[in-house]
């Protein structure tokens, strides 16, 4: 855990969030300021500052995050091609990264049907 990292505090449940999925490697919670009807953040439990801080040994973690996105899409019934979703990672000042703990935005225009 990185000191004074907001998302580490969310991972450790020191700060409340609306968690929709959790396992030993990642946590997924609702974005506090949603830009779409579904706006989730897929966050690794281990602290990595950004996509540029990933190492080769993080490859499994990153692929796991993609499979978690797949599970979320199924859970929200937006996995068929008529629906759909976006995965987004922001990096750097001009890229719009505000929280320096790696995260992938999961965005969808369709409200979950479950
Ligand atoms: P970034 O700009 O770093 O890619 O995205 C950070 C995201 O975290 C933003 O969409 C912002 O709304 C969200 N966020 C910031 N603080 C909190 C918080 O305390 N709780 C939750 N659930 N989301 C947050
Ligand atoms: Zn952190």
């Amino acid at each position: 855990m990185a000191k004074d990292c907001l998302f580490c505090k969310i991972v450790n449940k020191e700060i409340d969030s609306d968690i929709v999925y959790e396992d030993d490697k990642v946590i997924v919670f609702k974005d506090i300021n949603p830009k779409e009807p579904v706006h989730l953040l897929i966050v690794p439990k281990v602290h990595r500052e950004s996509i540029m801080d990933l190492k080769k040994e993080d490859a499994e973690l990153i692929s796991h995050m993609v499979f978690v996105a797949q599970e979320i899409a199924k859970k929200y019934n937006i996995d068929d091609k008529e629906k759909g979703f976006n995965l987004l990672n922001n990096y750097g000042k001009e890229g719009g990264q505000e929280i320096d703990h790696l995260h992938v935005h999961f965005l969808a225009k369709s409200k979950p049907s479950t």
Side-chain angles (χ1 to χ4, degrees), residues 6-7 10 29-33 35 39 41 90 96-99 103 105:
L6 176 69
F7 284 2
I10 288 178
F29 53 87
K30 293 183 182 173
D31 196 293
I32 205 166
N33 181 23
K35 311 272 188 310
H39 189 171
L41 299 170
N90 294 327
Q97 184 171 5
E98 288 173 3
I99 306 288
H103 53 281
H105 297 254

Side-chain angles (χ1 to χ4, degrees), residues 1-12 25-29 31 41-54 61-62 65 88-92 96-105:
M1 167 167 178
K3 202 171 166 282
D4 296 331
C5 171
L6 176 69
F7 284 2
C8 280
K9 287 179 183 164
I10 288 178
V11 165
N12 287 315
K25 296 187 192 72
V26 303
I27 188 166
V28 183
F29 53 87
D31 196 293
L41 299 170
I42 303 174
V43 179
K45 288 191 166 177
V46 65
H47 181 88
R48 296 284 183 270
E49 208 169 293
S50 76
I51 195 167
M52 296 308 294
D53 295 291
L54 292 169
L61 173 64
I62 298 310
M65 289 169 73
L88 172 73
N89 170 253
N90 294 327
Y91 171 71
Q97 184 171 5
E98 288 173 3
I99 306 288
D100 288 335
H101 179 129
L102 180 72
H103 53 281
V104 171
H105 297 254

Side-chain angles (χ1 to χ4, degrees), residues 70-99:
Q70 200 181 75
E71 287 308 311
I72 299 284
K74 288 177 193 164
K75 184 171 165 173
Y76 279 71
N77 288 319
I78 49 176
D79 53 318
D80 75 89
K81 284 187 180 171
E82 295 304 313
K83 304 277 183 181
F85 58 92
N86 301 95
L87 297 180
L88 172 73
N89 170 253
N90 294 327
Y91 171 71
K93 218 176 199 173
E94 292 188 1
Q97 184 171 5
E98 288 173 3
I99 306 288

